[in-house]
Amino acid sequence: MIRLLLGAALGTLLPLCASAQDFPAPTSQLTIVHSPQPAFATARTDTTKDTTTYVWDFRTDVHNDFDFPVRIVEFGAEEFRAGQWVKASASRFDSDQFAQWYTAADSAPGGWLKPGRTAADANNWYRGYRPIAGRSRWFYVAEAENGQRYVGRNEVVLVPFIPNAAPWSDDLPGTLVPLTLPWGTDGGPLPAGAQIRLARLVDGYQDPWAVYAYDGTTTIRPQVRVPGLYRLRVFVPGYQLAERHLVLPADDTGQSLALQAVPNDRKAASDESPFTPDDKHEWLNDIRQLKLAGDQENVTLVAAYQEHGDEDDFSYDFAAFVSQITPWLAPTHPQPVRQYAAFILLAHTSSLSREQAQTVAELLPAESVLLAADPARAAGSARALDKILGTERRAQMAARNPDRLVRGHATAGQGLRAAAEGDTAGAGRAYLALTNEFADMRELVFARSKLNPANKVQPGRPLPAFSAPLLNGEGSLTQDTATGSYRLLHFWASWCGPCKAEMKHIHEVYERFQPQGLEILSFSLDRTADDARAYQADKWPMPWANAFLAEGTQAPAAKALEVLGIPRLVLVDPAGKILAVDNKLRGDRMAETIAKYLDK
């Protein structure tokens, strides 16, 4: 546990567009205090959804030190993104909510706060699905009786969640070696409140491999397991989160990364790195350049997506990026650099030549512990490499990779592929493995649920009973709607990219097969019914029966039809028997599958 003794953080209220002629200069300030400061996180698990939310609880006091009353007309949260503070769209509130929530001290009826009074919310919080929160501050817009407005802001320091697990379990092979992080210009120890976190490259997985927290009194000697590919993050209160990707070979004996963190109040240059590796690890700078290249490609991708406008048929060619990364695979570069480049290319296997795919597979074989950095990417790319090279990489990964989560993802991939191809025996073997060897892994819940042989929504079984309100509010869709016709049940949302990619195919099959007796029943899982209606007005008309499920996948109809994710597609015959689900109805396969029954 980190124990800090820090003073309260104070925020001041500054006038907006004010002048001495407009309003007399205030004699003092409106003070904002968050406590405790910093705030510590707790983890809260929702067993019904198998998800964990991280919550930072704190109290916020708003004290009016002006000699006139002010009314809080707007308040909420701001987040630090891409070098600037922006208002969080879901966290903006008004005077009535201020009066309702800020009751732990003096009352503020209608949002009005008298001089010398304090309004306080004892139950303020920040929530997220990641153990490390971004920078967050609260703002308050106050209005005086003459209409003059002031805005005040104050940041709350959110300490990353500290798991209870001891660093570095014995699940993975390798050797623990020292990791030294000399701090600042003097190269001293990290200050109190700092954290060193070593984890997989992608958020969302279970606890990181190691978290070292500094309380200012205990000597901490961080270690890292080699070989390995990690994301190193260092949190220091008052400084920007420092991050570095590390690829460490099996013969590494330890490394030193001098840390010169960037203060929160200064914008870091685009080419600035807070870490300086020692002489033995200068090639870590090459890995950083590769990481920056990947970040820039993501920026280019987002810009192309926004410029395209019509997101339903957006595509992007990664060939130029693959050509940029491929030279780093050459033997002239240090092995860790080559392996990191290969790991980047695992996300772009569809753009690889056979020669490139062969090199990637050799640098990162199925049993490589480096694949543990992103198990989903490792397992997902294995099938693509198998298709290019004619190998059994995913099966080998499921059997031999030292990381359980990699093996689990590979096993899940094998099972889902077997189910899509009608191989019930293969799907059954995968399901048994997922419920026995990998039962504790919440990352594999979706695959376990999809492969469960007790599922009711499977080919050959009757359509379960359900009822869903129509989008127009005039009635419901049920299992008896359009009985006597072939029916395609379609679950979607306007925020779902894969759903929008299917819209072209769904409209094509409707136009082609509706005269032959095909009816489509669509179920929107949008956030609001207006979102679904707006999409239909602007993009695809969907001229058939439409329902709206306000509760999303928790709606009774979604549960009855076992909707775990979208798009979800189910083809039913006139008698109510299920003919095909999901993969058999995606993309071009949709028309092919339906044609088997209606093109007679």
Side-chain angles (χ1 to χ4, degrees):
M1 175 67 69
I2 300 177
R3 299 186 183 278
L4 298 176
L5 298 176
L6 298 178
L10 306 181
T12 59
L13 202 68
L14 304 176
L16 292 176
C17 303
S19 67
Q21 291 76 19
D22 295 328
F23 197 71
T27 57
S28 56
Q29 301 172 326
L30 183 113
T31 304
I32 303 162
V33 179
H34 299 302
S35 58
Q37 181 77 311
F40 293 86
T42 57
R44 301 177 186 175
T45 300
D46 183 341
T47 55
T48 62
K49 298 181 180 179
D50 207 17
T51 58
T52 298
T53 302
Y54 299 93
V55 183
W56 287 259
D57 293 305
F58 53 94
R59 172 187 171 115
T60 299
D61 289 69
V62 180
H63 181 71
N64 183 6
D65 240 355
F66 291 112
D67 56 7
F68 48 83
V70 293
R71 183 188 187 198
I72 305 300
V73 294
E74 181 185 353
F75 70 103
E78 295 177 319
E79 297 176 345
F80 195 73
R81 303 175 187 167
Q84 60 183 342
W85 288 99
V86 296
K87 290 182 179 179
S89 58
S91 301
R92 299 175 67 176
F93 311 104
D94 58 22
S95 299
D96 291 339
Q97 289 164 311
F98 184 83
Q100 178 184 355
W101 296 340
Y102 283 68
T103 59
D106 299 321
S107 63
W112 282 101
L113 194 57
K114 296 179 180 180
R117 299 293 179 87
T118 298
D121 181 1
N123 300 300
N124 213 345
W125 49 260
Y126 178 96
R127 295 179 185 172
Y129 290 104
R130 298 178 177 180
I132 300 180
R135 293 177 61 192
S136 178
R137 70 182 183 186
W138 283 78
F139 71 92
Y140 298 81
V141 178
E143 186 175 84
E145 291 176 320
N146 72 340
Q148 176 64 58
R149 288 194 169 193
Y150 300 81
V151 61
R153 298 178 173 88
N154 187 27
E155 182 173 357
V156 56
V157 179
L158 306 173
V159 176
F161 175 73
I162 305 172
N164 292 325
W168 301 110
S169 69
D170 295 328
D171 291 344
L172 292 176
T175 304
L176 289 173
V177 299
L179 171 65
T180 306
L181 291 168
W183 165 253
T185 55
D186 298 330
L190 284 169
Q195 281 186 33
I196 297 174
R197 306 176 71 92
L198 289 145
R200 303 179 196 264
L201 298 192
V202 179
D203 286 323
Y205 292 115
Q206 295 183 11
D207 288 343
W209 279 303
V211 176
Y212 297 94
Y214 290 74
D215 62 8
T217 61
T218 304
T219 300
I220 304 294
R221 293 183 173 84
Q223 294 179 301
V224 61
R225 190 182 298 278
V226 296
L229 168 54
Y230 310 107
R231 177 169 59 177
L232 167 68
R233 281 176 160 179
V234 181
F235 167 86
V236 179
Y239 292 83
Q240 297 174 30
L241 186 68
E243 180 175 314
R244 194 70 177 261
H245 286 188
L246 304 179
V247 184
L248 304 174
D251 60 356
D252 203 310
T253 58
Q255 55 285 140
S256 176
L257 293 169
L259 176 58
Q260 186 69 50
V262 179
N264 279 338
D265 59 0
R266 181 170 70 80
K267 184 176 181 179
S270 59
D271 60 347
E272 184 176 2
S273 172
F275 295 103
T276 303
D278 58 36
D279 293 343
K280 295 188 301 180
H281 296 83
E282 287 185 354
W283 42 264
L284 286 174
N285 291 325
D286 291 336
I287 289 176
R288 179 172 181 270
Q289 292 304 313
L290 285 166
K291 169 69 165 55
L292 291 176
D295 293 345
Q296 182 56 51
E297 183 67 6
N298 287 334
V299 171
T300 303
L301 170 63
V302 171
Y305 177 82
Q306 294 173 339
E307 182 179 356
H308 181 75
D310 188 359
E311 55 196 14
D312 293 354
D313 63 351
F314 174 74
S315 62
Y316 186 81
D317 187 358
F318 288 97
F321 178 66
V322 169
S323 296
Q324 178 185 358
I325 301 301
T326 297
W328 293 93
L329 301 175
T332 51
H333 295 289
Q335 185 74 352
V337 177
R338 300 176 67 206
Q339 290 174 315
Y340 187 78
F343 196 89
I344 290 176
L345 293 179
L346 285 181
H348 305 287
T349 47
S350 61
S351 300
L352 299 184
S353 66
R354 180 179 178 82
E355 180 181 0
Q356 291 167 330
Q358 184 66 48
T359 303
V360 167
E362 291 173 355
L363 287 167
L364 297 172
E367 60 273 14
S368 173
V369 71
L370 272 61
L371 297 174
D374 188 347
R377 180 192 301 190
S381 64
R383 172 168 166 74
L385 291 176
D386 284 342
K387 292 175 67 175
I388 297 172
L389 302 174
T391 55
E392 295 291 334
R393 179 180 175 87
R394 187 157 64 181
Q396 295 166 359
M397 194 178 294
R400 300 204 300 263
N401 193 277
D403 183 69
R404 285 184 67 234
L405 197 49
V406 172
R407 296 198 304 274
H409 273 281
T411 300
Q414 285 183 297
L416 293 172
R417 174 51 51 187
E421 295 175 348
D423 178 6
T424 55
R429 287 192 297 271
Y431 177 74
L432 287 176
L434 292 175
T435 53
N436 292 321
E437 183 181 354
F438 308 109
D440 60 319
M441 294 184 171
R442 64 173 182 262
E443 294 89 348
L444 304 177
V445 167
F446 176 81
R448 280 196 295 271
S449 300
K450 291 286 286 185
L451 294 173
N452 190 338
N455 287 343
K456 296 179 180 179
V457 182
Q458 295 192 52
R461 297 187 178 181
L463 183 67
F466 68 89
S467 179
L470 286 168
L471 181 61
N472 60 17
E474 300 177 359
S476 301
L477 294 182
T478 74
Q479 72 279 5
D480 296 323
T481 302
T483 297
S485 300
Y486 284 90
R487 288 164 287 171
L488 179 64
L489 279 62
H490 164 231
F491 295 82
W492 71 288
S494 63
W495 47 259
C496 166
C499 299
K500 292 182 285 191
E502 296 293 346
M503 283 297 178
K504 173 184 175 182
H505 301 287
I506 292 172
H507 282 76
E508 286 176 350
V509 299
Y510 184 72
E511 181 178 352
R512 176 177 169 183
F513 296 110
Q514 196 272 338
Q516 298 168 244
L518 176 69
E519 297 294 338
I520 297 179
L521 311 180
S522 285
F523 303 78
S524 168
L525 278 72
D526 273 293
R527 295 178 179 89
T528 69
D530 286 340
D531 289 344
R533 285 190 282 263
Y535 182 83
Q536 292 174 346
D538 297 339
K539 298 292 185 179
W540 293 97
M542 304 176 67
W544 48 74
N546 285 270
F548 175 65
L549 305 180
E551 299 170 81
T553 57
Q554 298 304 305
K559 289 185 175 181
L561 293 163
E562 299 169 349
V563 180
L564 302 173
I566 53 177
R568 171 71 150 155
L569 295 152
V570 182
L571 182 65
V572 183
D573 75 2
K577 183 177 73 173
I578 298 172
L579 300 174
V581 297
D582 295 332
N583 283 349
K584 293 289 186 181
L585 298 166
R586 297 289 297 273
D588 293 335
R589 296 188 297 275
M590 186 185 300
E592 295 172 2
T593 299
I594 295 173
K596 293 178 182 178
Y597 303 99
L598 289 173
D599 272 354
K600 295 181 179 178

